[in-house]
Amino acid sequence: MGAEADGGEKQLKFLIYGRTGWIGGFLGKLCEERGIQYEYGSGRLENRLSLEADITAVKPSHVFNAAGVTGRPNVDWCESHKAETIRTNVVGTLTLADVCRQNNLILINYATGCIFEYDSSHTLGSGHGFKEDDTPNFTGSFYSKTKAMVEDLLENYDNVCTLRVRMPISSDLTNPRNFITKITRYDKVVDIPNSMSILDELLPISLEMAKRNLTGIWNFTNPGVVSHNEILEMYRDYVDPSFRWKNFTLEEQAKVIVAPRSNNELDASKLKKEFPHLLSIKDSLLKYVFHPNHHNPALLQPS
Ligand SMILES: NC(=O)c1ccc[n+]([C@@H]2O[C@H](COP(=O)([O-])OP(=O)(O)OC[C@H]3O[C@@H](n4cnc5c(N)ncnc54)[C@H](OP(=O)(O)O)[C@@H]3O)[C@@H](O)[C@H]2O)c1
């Protein structure tokens, strides 16, 4: 399936969904930098005929799904737009997986790790993270509940590579979707250790996963956890020495959001075994985010 061919690697050509999105846009740039042929899909995920037309036109070696609804301004949107959430994230994602399977294509699917929360056997600070075969235990938000349902169904598709992304971070600190940018702009933040995904390090790895024709579920986070305050301390130390913030408790946070948020540690040892150079979350933050941004005066906030 995918890129195997006689005597070597068939010409790679990636078909990517999510052209206007954060992860989808990033993937296109990475393909350009690496000289990998790619095209963006023009179909809508829930429209099977439009996906089939894309595959016929592009003739891809692999398909990447970075399309989905995450809600604007945030995931609370999904609580009041349930049918729209189902249309793209459930019907759409399953349709794309099914069309890819019928066309003998691997689908790299950017999913979410926000389907777990710390529990009595995976306690905060224990270093005992959820593994790929653990059953999701967080259904507090409609977004997460439906993502977990889809992950469960996609396990039956042997052509799908499910990447559990969490609290994605990139070196672009001007992007409002960046977890760091988000928490620097909040009035108050909770302080809880979590698994997170440094996109500058992990998205190139996902391209490599396609080349290796990897499938199945993968915790797609850097090993270890980092807390909100640890990130904000780095931000203060490397980007803006005058930055200050206020913390509040989970109970106080619950009053300003509609749906509960997941907090968890994912066990990234499967990914680390496949990619031994994968950095721990704190080392990756320093290497990919804070060191390159250290001398960038454009990022300093006006005093
Ligand atoms: N950002 C996060 O915090 C986060 C965390 C974990 C996992 N993820 C997952 O990663 C994926 C990508 O996230 P992102 O942050 O890059 O999202 P994003 O910036 O909101 O982009 C979403 C993309 O999906 C496209 N899209 C939405 N509905 C579609 C449909 N029915 N058919 C085709 N395209 C559609 C959008 O295109 P249009 O503008 O044309 O609709 C847009 O290009 C999502 O599935 C998300 O759940 C994100």
Side-chain angles (χ1 to χ4, degrees):
M1 190 169 290
E4 286 116 348
D6 320 331
E9 198 181 62
K10 192 173 95 181
Q11 181 77 30
L12 292 174
K13 187 167 186 192
F14 294 163
L15 171 61
I16 302 172
Y17 287 92
R19 182 178 60 81
T20 56
W22 182 26
I23 292 177
F26 205 142
L27 288 173
K29 286 199 195 92
L30 289 174
C31 288
E32 261 157 44
E33 284 166 19
R34 285 161 173 72
I36 299 172
Q37 280 193 67
Y38 75 100
E39 279 187 44
Y40 283 112
S42 52
R44 303 303 290 175
L45 294 193
E46 65 278 14
N47 182 337
R48 189 176 187 98
L49 291 179
S50 70
L51 305 180
E52 285 168 347
D54 283 341
I55 288 174
T56 305
V58 175
K59 298 185 180 56
S61 62
H62 299 80
V63 180
F64 289 74
N65 181 28
V69 294
T70 54
R72 296 287 191 278
N74 59 46
V75 76
D76 284 335
W77 178 91
C78 298
E79 303 297 318
S80 52
H81 296 80
K82 291 184 174 168
E84 292 89 338
T85 303
I86 292 172
R87 186 179 306 131
T88 295
N89 292 0
V90 182
V91 179
T93 304
L94 294 175
T95 302
L96 180 60
D98 196 59
V99 169
C100 288
R101 186 168 185 276
Q102 282 202 323
N103 285 276
N104 204 28
L105 287 166
I106 283 178
L107 173 66
I108 306 289
N109 188 43
Y110 297 91
T112 182
C114 288
I115 52 177
F116 293 97
E117 63 181 342
Y118 290 117
D119 64 14
S120 55
S121 33
H122 304 83
T123 51
L124 195 153
S126 66
H128 184 218
F130 291 93
K131 291 195 188 304
E132 280 77 2
D133 56 2
D134 280 324
T135 304
N137 68 349
F138 178 74
T139 53
S141 70
F142 191 73
Y143 170 84
S144 294
K145 179 175 151 180
T146 49
K147 287 271 185 181
M149 288 174 174
V150 169
E151 186 190 278
D152 185 42
L153 290 171
L154 285 181
E155 272 207 88
N156 300 298
Y157 281 77
D158 59 4
N159 62 315
V160 175
C161 180
T162 293
L163 302 180
R164 288 178 179 159
V165 178
R166 281 211 81 227
M167 299 180 162
I169 289 171
S170 85
S171 54
D172 178 7
L173 295 178
T174 62
N175 186 327
R177 312 295 311 291
N178 189 335
F179 180 75
I180 299 178
T181 315
K182 278 190 196 171
I183 64 171
T184 57
R185 292 179 182 178
Y186 288 156
D187 292 337
K188 291 182 180 174
V189 286
V190 293
D191 180 32
I192 303 170
N194 269 285
S195 284
M196 301 189 191
S197 306
I198 306 294
L199 297 183
D200 302 68
E201 182 173 14
L202 287 169
L203 292 187
I205 284 179
S206 65
L207 301 185
E208 181 58 30
M209 292 175 86
K211 289 188 197 170
R212 296 184 192 180
N213 293 322
L214 297 173
T215 56
I217 296 177
W218 297 79
N219 288 340
F220 202 58
T221 54
N222 293 85
V225 289
V226 65
S227 71
H228 297 67
N229 279 7
E230 285 170 325
I231 290 181
L232 293 173
E233 281 159 15
M234 289 183 192
Y235 182 83
R236 180 196 60 206
D237 294 347
Y238 287 97
V239 179
D240 179 2
S242 68
F243 182 74
R244 300 286 179 270
W245 68 94
K246 286 188 192 132
N247 286 125
F248 64 170
T249 63
L250 275 174
E251 291 71 30
E252 288 166 320
Q253 184 201 36
K255 293 180 190 152
V256 297
I257 55 180
V258 177
R261 304 296 196 260
S262 99
N263 292 290
N264 70 47
E265 174 169 1
L266 297 183
D267 182 329
S269 53
K270 180 179 172 186
L271 192 65
K272 175 84 178 166
K273 195 169 173 217
E274 183 72 28
F275 296 95
H277 58 273
L278 179 66
L279 294 178
S280 72
I281 184 63
K282 287 177 189 164
D283 287 344
S284 191
L285 272 166
L286 290 175
K287 176 171 176 182
Y288 289 96
V289 181
F290 289 115
H291 286 168
N293 277 310
H294 186 28
H295 296 296
N296 185 349
L299 291 171
L300 293 179
Q301 305 194 336
S303 51

